[in-house]
Amino acid sequence: MKYETVIGLEVHVELATESKIFCSCSAHSFGADPNSHVCPACCGMPGMLPVVNRRVVDFGMKAGMMLNCDINRVTTFDKKSYYYPDLPGAYQTTQWFAPVAVNGRVDIETSAGKKSVRIKQIHMEEDAGKLVHDISEGTTHVDFNRTSVPLIEIVSQPDLSSAEEVEAYLVRLRTLLRYAKVAECEMAHGTMRCDVNLSVRPEGSDVLGVRTEMKNMNSIEAIKRAIEYETARHINAIENGTEVLVQETRRWDDAKGKSYAMRSKETAGDYRYFPDPNVMPVVIDDVWYETIKNSVPEFPEVKREKYIALGLTEYDAERISESIMLCECFEEASEACGNPKEVVNWITSDVMRILNAKQMTYEMLNLDNKAFGKLISLTLDGKISRANSKKILSAMFDDRAIEPEAYAEANNMLIGEQNDDLILGIVKKVVESDPKSVNDFKNGKEKALMALFGKCMKELKGNCDPQQLKVILLECING
Amino acid sequence: MISKDVVEKVAKLSRLHLEEEEIAQYADQLNQILDTMAGLQQIDTDGVAPLAHVLPIENVFREDEVGECFTQETVLANAPEQSNGMFQVPKIV
């Protein structure tokens, strides 16, 4: 019999705010001492008063708009009760009755074709703390730095049917949320996490099979492996009766390539959701809604088409539109220098080379894009040599404040009229020091001129318009 | 009707240990509370939105700015057991 896999995803994404969702502790504790970013509110002290971080709602709305959701104009927070040491209040503040965004859609494309994945809802909630097991035998240690770091949970409908589709969906989510600049979405950093709900049924059946939920996958590759393993396990159980499938939560062990049953899961009713009396309802008026709506960027496809219309190749347009940071770099630099094709060449060669050398992702690009455009103009106008422009660009990566023309001037890299005398002086010196090459050239050896030219350029440290140098050099030789 | 099983389940979800006589006692008390609430059930609430807050307050926000935290020492001051700058609890996996 042929089977089909039915997959729905719950994706947790850490929002890129400075402070936590309900208190002003820093949301960034990477490398910090344990329990050093903690206050009464986020460690569950009795009587604490949570106050909503406005930017969390901004980002929640914006994420919803990126995923074609309807925004709930009245959105509220609820308590989800469960007892676990990583949750100091014994409840998580989340959204159950009126999540910020509902009924969305994410479009993906795979070898199986185009597909719309329906989004059930996006809710805003607080993260839990970090547990460290077995520092000494039989103990668990708790660090509350991560409690109340803002998250959104994106819940899809069970519309996915293969590992390939799941990958396309996750990549698309990541791209859209990065476009909106609401989240880093780096699975390796834990800023994007994914739970996979999976069941298997005979192809064409409209009855869902027994569903299992898998956790603990920290890369897209691991998720794909887990889906393939779990699908095979389900089919084997159905066909060969190797085990009885039960609804449960399973932990994926990527090193062993196996999933294991975890503690039996509490059901929704057991969480005893109820409105959090300490967190006031959020009412989104038209002004606020429109402000966020207007900040939603163009989608990658729109940008790609625009870039192709500007004369970029399909390949380059695709590469640039992959990241909002590259898009901004391209658009702002093009505006500054008026030459999009040249800008894209610089991005795909120099910018990408430097990013690579510095082991930076596209998202970490922090150039002053207008200054970058100016640098390209100066180079095209022959005021800075191509070799020196690379050096300046590299310096601009380290210091956003660098203004290319001033920097070139300060470092004697600016090619200008005032250098004519300097060039002539150097050319004379080189010509006098190498009479053999001069004679060779006069006797018809073109290569000898290149040798002289190279020596002059070296003395000038490249700060010279090659055409200008050639003219002066020929004048000097021919007297 | 709150049965003994329901009390046991709620106690388990709340990680509470109850003795047999306590279970019976709580079942009795919880049933009295439900009886009282049953009076409220008589009221017609069709078309009335559930009330989350008794005060007409909405949109209470803070700006996204980082402020002071407790020191690690203060955070851990009430911890029954601690080490390595963290709360220490019995192993839970």
Side-chain angles (χ1 to χ4, degrees), chain A residues 87-362:
Chain A
L87 208 58
Y91 63 86
Q92 179 191 31
T93 306
T94 178
Q95 299 196 286
W96 179 255
F97 297 105
V100 65
V102 293
N103 297 332
R105 193 188 81 243
V106 171
D107 298 325
I108 58 166
E109 192 168 352
T110 64
S111 60
K114 290 185 178 178
K115 190 173 200 174
S116 262
V117 181
R118 291 168 302 153
I119 301 297
K120 181 170 179 270
Q121 67 177 57
I122 301 176
H123 53 263
M124 306 179 283
E125 63 186 18
E126 56 180 345
D127 206 347
K130 194 174 103 184
L131 299 177
V132 186
H133 303 297
D134 289 318
I135 286 182
S136 51
E137 211 186 313
T139 67
T140 292
H141 283 73
V142 191
D143 172 7
F144 288 137
N145 280 348
R146 204 181 58 191
T147 50
S148 282
V149 166
L151 302 175
I152 48 173
E153 180 175 341
I154 303 159
V155 185
S156 85
Q157 298 285 6
D159 289 348
L160 296 151
S161 46
S162 69
E164 190 197 356
E165 285 184 1
V166 167
E167 178 176 26
Y169 171 79
L170 290 172
V171 169
R172 181 70 179 168
L173 269 191
R174 188 171 69 188
T175 303
L176 292 175
L177 296 176
R178 285 177 177 173
Y179 253 64
K181 293 187 177 174
V182 298
E184 181 198 42
C185 295
E186 197 68 71
M187 292 196 78
H189 297 169
T191 52
M192 186 175 191
R193 291 167 248 160
C194 179
D195 300 338
V196 177
N197 290 301
L198 181 148
S199 63
V200 165
R201 65 183 173 191
E203 205 170 69
S205 162
D206 54 4
V207 180
L208 288 167
V210 174
R211 172 170 58 91
T212 55
E213 180 181 3
M214 263 188 305
K215 292 178 178 292
N216 194 43
M217 293 149 298
N218 47 22
S219 71
I220 289 179
E221 288 309 310
I223 291 169
K224 288 165 68 181
R225 283 190 286 272
I227 288 171
E228 266 142 33
Y229 170 88
E230 196 65 4
T231 302
R233 189 178 74 86
H234 281 231
I235 292 174
N236 199 18
I238 296 166
E239 292 220 314
N240 305 319
T242 45
E243 59 183 309
V244 177
L245 293 173
V246 288
Q247 184 174 334
E248 63 185 355
T249 302
R250 297 177 71 85
R251 194 177 70 89
W252 174 247
D253 185 330
D254 202 43
K256 294 203 175 81
K258 284 184 170 162
S259 69
Y260 295 93
M262 287 170 72
R263 70 196 152 91
S264 68
K265 209 177 181 245
E266 285 153 349
T267 60
D270 293 341
Y271 289 133
R272 291 154 288 154
Y273 287 98
F274 66 97
D276 188 328
N278 290 324
V279 185
M280 297 305 123
V282 173
V283 179
I284 300 161
D285 64 14
D286 290 348
V287 174
W288 191 5
Y289 180 87
E290 289 303 325
T291 305
I292 300 300
K293 189 86 195 160
N294 291 334
S295 75
V296 168
E298 290 170 317
F299 272 33
E301 301 69 42
V302 177
K303 291 214 178 280
R304 194 179 60 210
E305 293 309 313
K306 260 172 64 174
Y307 297 166
I308 290 170
L310 282 172
L312 266 56
T313 63
E314 241 170 76
Y315 177 73
D316 282 342
E318 182 77 42
R319 271 179 101 182
I320 301 288
S321 62
E322 197 183 310
S323 155
I324 191 69
M325 300 309 283
L326 292 181
C327 290
E328 287 179 358
C329 180
F330 170 71
E331 289 175 20
E332 289 169 24
S334 294
E335 202 186 325
C337 87
N339 193 333
K341 284 189 190 172
E342 196 64 28
V343 173
V344 81
N345 288 339
W346 283 59
I347 291 177
T348 54
S349 56
D350 302 74
V351 170
M352 289 190 179
R353 179 179 48 77
I354 296 171
L355 283 173
N356 198 30
K358 291 182 183 292
Q359 293 185 306
M360 288 163 69
T361 64
Y362 296 160

Side-chain angles (χ1 to χ4, degrees), chain A residues 9 314 360 375-376 403:
Chain A
L9 298 183
E314 241 170 76
M360 288 163 69
L375 175 69
I376 296 173
E403 201 287 303

Side-chain angles (χ1 to χ4, degrees), chain A residues 26-94:
Chain A
S26 169
H28 306 280
S29 54
F30 183 76
D33 287 339
N35 294 303
S36 63
H37 290 182
V38 177
C39 75
C42 62
C43 70
M45 297 275 179
M48 53 81 170
L49 282 174
V51 183
V52 178
N53 180 344
R54 186 194 302 268
R55 186 169 286 157
V56 170
V57 185
D58 287 346
F59 283 5
M61 267 199 268
K62 200 169 176 186
M65 290 170 183
M66 293 303 290
L67 274 41
N68 299 294
C69 291
D70 298 328
I71 303 301
N72 268 329
R73 301 291 281 266
V74 178
T75 181
T76 52
F77 287 90
D78 307 295
K79 287 188 178 184
K80 176 184 184 180
S81 312
Y82 69 96
Y83 284 71
Y84 212 60
D86 61 4
L87 208 58
Y91 63 86
Q92 179 191 31
T93 306
T94 178

